[in-house]
Amino acid sequence: MKIKNTKTRTLRVVLYVVLILLAFLMLVPFAWMLSASFKLDKDVFIFPIQWIPANPRWQNYVDIWRKIPLLKFVLNTVKLTLIVTFLQLLTSSFAAYAFSKLHFKGKNALFLAYIATIAVPWQVYMVPQFMMMRGMGLADTHLAIIFLQAFSAFGVFMMKQFYEGIPTELCEAARIDGMSEYQIWYRVMLPLSKPALSTLLIFTFVNTWNDFLGPLIYLTTESKKTLQLGLRMFISQFGSEYGLIMAASVLSLIPVLIVFLSLQKYFVEGVAATGVKG
């Protein structure tokens, strides 16, 4: 028995060591980015790496606001991210409720057809989408991005997996009490699905905040561009201002970290719940 316990402890220690090493390797690029954000361009790629600059250049964090309209880009990104995240949570949870708790003709076929779109890369149909948006007069507008990202097959699938684990008897009891399907969704299902909603919120927020290709295709006016497109403006034909790029990149990570750390508890619960149910 003692030998078995010793082996278990040894394996656990080895596992922790491996996980710590992997975490360290994952954090190294972020540490380098933070260090480079306080350096001159000529010092960014010096080897061996000087992790703590001898003379930190705090001016980088001032120049990024002066050289480009960074505040406007941040506001545009916040606007798109909040709207798209809200719409995806709304549409995904509502559709998932219908697919998991309601009965209608062709439900399974419709669900499979919708989920099958996950397997199709966006690059395959981005040109037809662009032509459709241009035909509707939505080219170079935020509405184009909002309309195209307001629905998520992945979000519907994940929420449906979670809703499958909620007893159907709760819905039946609510119907007996006279609730409509909209009321059941709002008063019964949503309060019980905080872990799944938080997980979907993190995925959607991060993807929309970091989206580069979508805004690049649809937005041409400078005043409508997003933060990710703004970072590209530090790269010119004759050189790149790496110190400013790193400083702006550090700032762009802050909202993502805040959202993830705030919802980390629900995120773990949501991933575990949607992975074992359904």
Side-chain angles (χ1 to χ4, degrees):
M1 189 65 179
K2 291 183 178 180
I3 296 177
K4 185 177 180 180
N5 291 335
T6 302
K7 289 183 177 179
T8 302
R9 292 176 182 175
T10 303
L11 290 175
R12 185 175 298 176
V13 170
V14 171
L15 178 61
Y16 285 155
V17 170
V18 172
L19 291 176
I20 291 173
L21 290 176
L22 290 175
F24 176 77
L25 291 176
M26 294 292 291
L27 291 174
V28 165
F30 295 100
W32 178 82
M33 179 180 67
L34 180 61
S35 174
S37 69
F38 293 101
K39 296 178 181 178
L40 295 170
D41 293 339
K42 64 182 182 66
D43 298 328
V44 170
F45 295 104
I46 289 179
F47 190 83
I49 299 173
Q50 187 180 14
W51 293 101
I52 301 178
N55 298 305
R57 192 172 188 275
W58 297 94
Q59 188 64 26
N60 285 348
Y61 284 90
V62 177
D63 291 343
I64 57 176
W65 302 97
R66 295 177 177 175
K67 294 203 171 185
I68 64 172
L70 188 63
L71 179 60
K72 184 63 177 177
F73 297 155
V74 170
L75 293 177
N76 289 337
T77 307
V78 170
K79 169 189 169 183
L80 287 173
T81 302
L82 292 180
I83 294 175
V84 169
T85 301
F86 172 77
L87 290 177
Q88 278 205 23
L89 292 177
L90 178 67
T91 58
S92 297
S93 61
F94 201 56
Y97 171 71
F99 282 125
S100 61
K101 300 302 180 184
L102 300 182
H103 301 282
F104 53 91
K105 187 176 181 180
K107 181 179 74 171
N108 293 333
L110 180 61
F111 178 72
L112 289 175
Y114 188 48
I115 297 303
T117 60
I118 297 177
V120 182
W122 180 61
Q123 290 78 4
V124 173
Y125 54 87
M126 66 181 182
V127 174
Q129 275 190 345
F130 175 78
M131 295 175 65
M132 180 179 67
M133 291 294 107
R134 186 179 61 181
M136 297 171 60
L138 296 178
D140 194 26
T141 66
H142 289 165
L143 280 177
I145 298 176
I146 292 172
F147 285 160
L148 294 177
Q149 298 186 14
F151 307 93
S152 169
F154 168 77
V156 173
F157 174 76
M158 192 185 72
M159 292 300 300
K160 180 180 180 296
Q161 291 296 99
F162 186 86
Y163 284 162
E164 292 287 351
I166 297 177
T168 306
E169 289 77 10
L170 289 176
C171 299
E172 297 293 342
R175 292 188 186 103
I176 294 174
D177 289 339
M179 284 189 181
S180 66
E181 299 299 335
Y182 298 99
Q183 291 175 321
I184 296 173
W185 167 76
Y186 181 72
R187 296 185 179 180
V188 178
M189 303 301 287
L190 285 185
L192 294 174
S193 57
K194 286 182 180 180
L197 288 173
S198 299
T199 304
L200 181 58
L201 187 152
I202 291 175
F203 283 134
T204 306
F205 186 95
V206 172
N207 289 336
T208 308
W209 184 271
N210 293 328
D211 187 20
F212 175 80
L213 190 56
L216 179 65
I217 293 174
Y218 289 99
L219 304 177
T220 56
T221 305
E222 182 176 295
S223 62
K224 298 177 182 177
K225 290 184 177 181
T226 61
L227 178 58
Q228 305 308 322
L229 296 181
L231 294 179
R232 189 169 173 265
M233 296 176 67
F234 291 119
I235 303 174
S236 64
Q237 182 179 357
F238 304 101
S240 301
E241 299 176 283
Y242 293 107
L244 300 185
I245 292 174
M246 297 305 167
S249 298
V250 170
L251 290 180
S252 71
L253 278 177
I254 293 176
V256 175
L257 289 176
I258 292 175
V259 170
F260 180 78
L261 293 176
S262 301
L263 301 174
Q264 183 181 15
K265 174 184 176 182
Y266 294 111
F267 175 77
V268 175
E269 293 178 4
V271 171
T274 54
V276 300
K277 294 177 181 178

